[in-house]
C-alpha cells in the first residue's frame, strides 16, 4: 500500500454535506469568531433535527412537509439537480500541472497598489509566500460594475473568485432570494464554488457602482488550493519535529499547520525586541536565530536556535513583555503563529511551556552565575 493510500480517508456523504453546509453559512455570513459561530450553527442544526423527528412522529396533512423551505439545508436545495458537480472534486495532491500557462494581466503601479490594499486582509492569502503573492497579483484582473449588476447567480457554475476594492454588494439565497449578507467596500466572495467545484451557493448583486478584482478558477486552484496543501504538508513535517507538540492530536497539529504564516528575515535583522508586547511565537524552518538580552554593558547572547526549534512563546505564556531580543544569524525562514491562534490551538501544550520558564531561568543563572547578576527583564 502506497503512502498516499495510507493517508487517504474516505469522507462519509453525511459528514461532507454537514461540513459543506456549515462552510456555506460561514463564508456567506463571515462572523467574527469561527468557534462561537460553529457552536451556534450546530446547536441550531441539532434543534432542527429534534423538531423534525418530533414532527415526523406526529400525524400530518398530506400537503404538509416535515421541513419547511427555510429549514431545509442549503446544500440539499440544489444537490439533487446538480449531483454530478459534487463528484468532480479537486485533489491538489495529484495535480502535477505546475508548468501550465500562467495568467498575467499587466497593471500600472497605481492598480497594483490598490490591489495590494484590497487583498492584504483576505484570509485565503495569508499562507502565501512572496513569490506566490506576486503570482496572485499578476493573475487578478480588474472588473468595474454598475449598481444592480449581478456578479454571480445562485446555481451557476463557478468561474471566478472576487476581491472587493469598492462598492456595496448584497448576497441572496433561495428561490425567494432572501438577503443574508452585505459586503461594504471590503471582503471577498466566490471561493466556495471553486473550492468544492459546485454551483454558486448564493446570488451576489451590486447595490452601488464598484470595483472588483477577479481571478479565474484554474489560477485560483493552482495557486491557492495547491499552495495551501503544500504549506500544510511542509508545516506538519516541521511540527512533527517539535517535542513540545507531541502532546497534540493529529488533527490539532493540522489545525496548527494551517494557522502558521510564513515570514522571512535577512541576516542581522531583528525579529523581536526585548520589552515589546508579544504578538506571537516563531518556529524555525531554515536558518539560525541568536537570542540576546540587554545588560548594562550591552546585549549578551544567551543561546542559538536552529531549524525545528521555536522561540517567542515565553511572553505569551507569562503575559509579560518580551524577555529577550531575537536576531536572524543568517537568512531566515520562520513560521509565525499569532497570539490569538496560540491561545486557541496550544492549550494542551501550556504546561510544557510553563516548565520551560524554569529552564530559561536556570540557563540564565548558568551563564551569569547568579540571578542577582541578571538585569530584571520582566
Amino acid at each position: 500500500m502506497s503512502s498516499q493510500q495510507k493517508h487517504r480517508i474516505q469522507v462519509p456523504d453525511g459528514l461532507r454535506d454537514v461540513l459543506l453546509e456549515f462552510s456555506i453559512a460561514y463564508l456567506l455570513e463571515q462572523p467574527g469568531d469561527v468557534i462561537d459561530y460553529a457552536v451556534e450553527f450546530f446547536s441550531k442544526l441539532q434543534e432542527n433535527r429534534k423538531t423534525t423527528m418530533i414532527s415526523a412522529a406526529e400525524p400530518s396533512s398530506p400537503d404538509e412537509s416535515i421541513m419547511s423551505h427555510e429549514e431545509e439545508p442549503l446544500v440539499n436545495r440544489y444537490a439533487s439537480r446538480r449531483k454530478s458537480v459534487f463528484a468532480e472534486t479537486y485533489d491538489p495532491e495529484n495535480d502535477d500541472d505546475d508548468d501550465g500557462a500562467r495568467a498575467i494581466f499587466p497593471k500600472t503601479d497605481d492598480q497594483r497598489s490598490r490591489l495590494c490594499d484590497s487583498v492584504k486582509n483576505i484570509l485565503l492569502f495569508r499562507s502565501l509566500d512572496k513569490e506566490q503573492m506576486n503570482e496572485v497579483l499578476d493573475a487578478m484582473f480588474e472588473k468595474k460594475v454598475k449598481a444592480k449588476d449581478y456578479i454571480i447567480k445562485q446555481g451557476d457554475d463557478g468561474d471566478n473568485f472576487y476581491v472587493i476594492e469598492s462598492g456595496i454588494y448584497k448576497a441572496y439565497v433561495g428561490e425567494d432570494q432572501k438577503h443574508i449578507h452585505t459586503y461594504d467596500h471590503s471582503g471577498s466572495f466566490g471561493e466556495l464554488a471553486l473550492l468544492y467545484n459546485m454551483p454558486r451557493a448564493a446570488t451576489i448583486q451590486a447595490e452601488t457602482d464598484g470595483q472588483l478584482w477577479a481571478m479565474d478558477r484554474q489560477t485560483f486552484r493552482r495557486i491557492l488550493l495547491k499552495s495551501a496543501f503544500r504549506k500544510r504538508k511542509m508545516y506538519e513535517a516541521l511540527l512533527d519535529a517539535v517535542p513540545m507538540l507531541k502532546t497534540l492530536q493529529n488533527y490539532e497539529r493540522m489545525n496548527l499547520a494551517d494557522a502558521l504564516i510564513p515570514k522571512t528575515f535577512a541576516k542581522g535583522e531583528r525579529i523581536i525586541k526585548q520589552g515589546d508586547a508579544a504578538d506571537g511565537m516563531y518556529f524555525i524552518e531554515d536558518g539560525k536565530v541568536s537570542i540576546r538580552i540587554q545588560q548594562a554593558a550591552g546585549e549578551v547572547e544567551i543561546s542559538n536556535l536552529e531549524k525545528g526549534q521555536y522561540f517567542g512563546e515565553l511572553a505569551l505564556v507569562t503575559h509579560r513583555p518580551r524577555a529577550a531580543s531575537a536576531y536572524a544569524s543568517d537568512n531566515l525562514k520562520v513560521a509565525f503563529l499569532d497570539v490569538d491562534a496560540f491561545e486557541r490551538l496550544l492549550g494542551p501544550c501550556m504546561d510544557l511551556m510553563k516548565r520551560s520558564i524554569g529552564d530559561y531561568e536556570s540557563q540564565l543563572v548558568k551563564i551569569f552565575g547568579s540571578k542577582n547578576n541578571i538585569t530584571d527583564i520582566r
Side-chain angles (χ1 to χ4, degrees):
M1 183 180 292
S2 68
S3 59
Q4 288 185 0
Q5 289 173 318
K6 288 180 180 178
H7 290 89
R8 195 178 298 279
I9 299 174
Q10 184 66 35
V11 180
D13 288 343
L15 176 61
R16 180 188 62 189
D17 288 348
V18 169
L19 294 179
L20 183 56
E21 184 180 349
F22 170 72
S23 299
I24 291 171
Y26 178 78
L27 290 170
L28 289 176
E29 296 184 29
Q30 297 188 355
D33 187 289
V34 63
I35 303 299
D36 289 344
Y37 182 77
V39 171
E40 180 182 359
F41 177 89
F42 287 108
S43 295
K44 287 182 179 178
L45 195 64
Q46 185 180 44
E47 286 302 315
N48 285 341
R49 185 174 67 171
K50 290 178 180 177
T51 302
T52 300
M53 292 173 66
I54 293 172
S55 300
E58 296 174 349
S60 60
S61 60
D63 60 347
E64 182 182 359
S65 62
I66 292 175
M67 181 181 289
S68 72
H69 180 75
E70 291 299 323
E71 293 172 330
E72 182 184 0
L74 186 59
V75 171
N76 295 340
R77 295 178 200 169
Y78 51 77
S80 59
R81 59 189 172 89
R82 294 297 298 272
K83 281 184 179 178
S84 61
V85 179
F86 284 88
E88 301 172 2
T89 55
Y90 175 67
D91 184 0
E93 188 171 12
N94 294 322
D95 180 7
D96 297 322
D97 185 22
D98 286 324
D99 300 322
R102 296 184 176 182
I104 298 179
F105 295 90
K107 298 173 181 65
T108 64
D109 289 343
D110 176 66
Q111 286 177 312
R112 202 170 185 88
S113 175
R114 288 191 285 111
L115 177 55
C116 286
D117 287 339
S118 299
V119 304
K120 65 183 179 183
N121 294 319
I122 302 300
L123 185 63
L124 281 169
F125 296 153
R126 288 184 63 188
S127 65
L128 300 181
D129 59 28
K130 186 176 181 179
E131 181 180 348
Q132 291 167 331
M133 193 66 211
N134 283 330
E135 194 175 344
V136 164
L137 298 179
D138 287 340
M140 299 196 79
F141 56 92
E142 203 167 17
K143 181 179 176 69
K144 296 182 183 296
V145 298
K146 297 292 185 181
K148 304 307 178 184
D149 281 354
Y150 286 96
I151 315 304
I152 60 178
K153 291 186 177 181
Q154 183 174 334
D156 285 354
D157 288 332
D159 52 356
N160 295 318
F161 164 68
Y162 296 95
V163 173
I164 299 169
E165 178 181 319
S166 64
I168 298 174
Y169 306 83
K170 291 189 174 182
Y172 303 91
V173 297
E175 295 177 2
D176 56 350
Q177 289 295 280
K178 178 182 178 182
H179 174 236
I180 60 167
H181 184 71
T182 298
Y183 298 91
D184 190 354
H185 295 280
S186 65
S188 61
F189 54 84
E191 69 272 29
L192 194 65
L194 308 187
L195 285 168
Y196 289 96
N197 207 20
M198 57 180 277
R200 295 297 194 186
T203 293
I204 305 291
Q205 185 179 25
E207 187 75 6
T208 65
D209 292 356
Q211 172 77 40
L212 298 170
W213 293 96
M215 180 191 298
D216 67 78
R217 172 203 294 266
Q218 184 178 3
T219 304
F220 177 89
R221 287 184 165 191
R222 180 173 50 80
I223 298 177
L224 294 176
L225 295 188
K226 197 164 186 180
S227 68
F229 172 80
R230 287 177 171 173
K231 167 185 173 271
R232 171 183 277 192
K233 287 299 185 184
M234 178 182 70
Y235 284 163
E236 281 180 354
L238 174 68
L239 297 175
D240 281 343
V242 178
M244 175 187 73
L245 302 180
K246 297 298 183 184
T247 58
L248 296 180
Q249 300 294 324
N250 285 336
Y251 78 91
E252 291 174 320
R253 275 201 291 273
M254 285 192 292
N255 288 338
L256 180 56
D258 289 339
L260 293 174
I261 302 169
K263 290 192 175 187
T264 58
F265 296 90
K267 181 178 180 179
E269 189 174 354
R270 186 171 61 197
I271 306 160
I272 59 178
K273 180 183 178 183
Q274 182 178 327
D276 281 356
D279 57 349
M281 69 176 294
Y282 300 80
F283 296 88
I284 302 174
E285 290 183 57
D286 189 45
K288 296 181 179 180
V289 173
S290 171
I291 305 297
R292 309 172 192 173
I293 64 170
Q294 184 68 43
Q295 293 290 282
E299 285 189 325
V300 178
E301 183 176 87
I302 60 170
S303 67
N304 277 289
L305 305 177
E306 300 181 345
K307 179 179 179 178
Q309 295 182 286
Y310 57 91
F311 60 96
E313 83 289 357
L314 183 63
L316 300 179
V317 174
T318 62
H319 300 288
R320 295 173 178 173
R322 295 292 192 190
S325 296
Y327 294 85
S329 298
D330 46 24
N331 290 334
L332 180 71
K333 289 180 65 177
V334 296
F336 175 71
L337 183 70
D338 67 43
V339 62
D340 291 336
F342 173 89
E343 293 176 351
R344 187 176 76 251
L345 299 172
L346 290 184
C349 304
M350 200 61 70
D351 286 341
L352 288 175
M353 285 187 282
K354 286 178 179 177
R355 281 182 225 162
S356 72
I357 297 175
D359 295 339
Y360 174 79
E361 291 180 342
S362 298
Q363 185 180 19
L364 292 181
V365 170
K366 184 176 180 181
I367 294 171
F368 296 102
S370 168
K371 284 188 178 182
N372 295 330
N373 296 329
I374 305 172
T375 300
D376 183 6
I377 57 175
R378 296 182 184 175

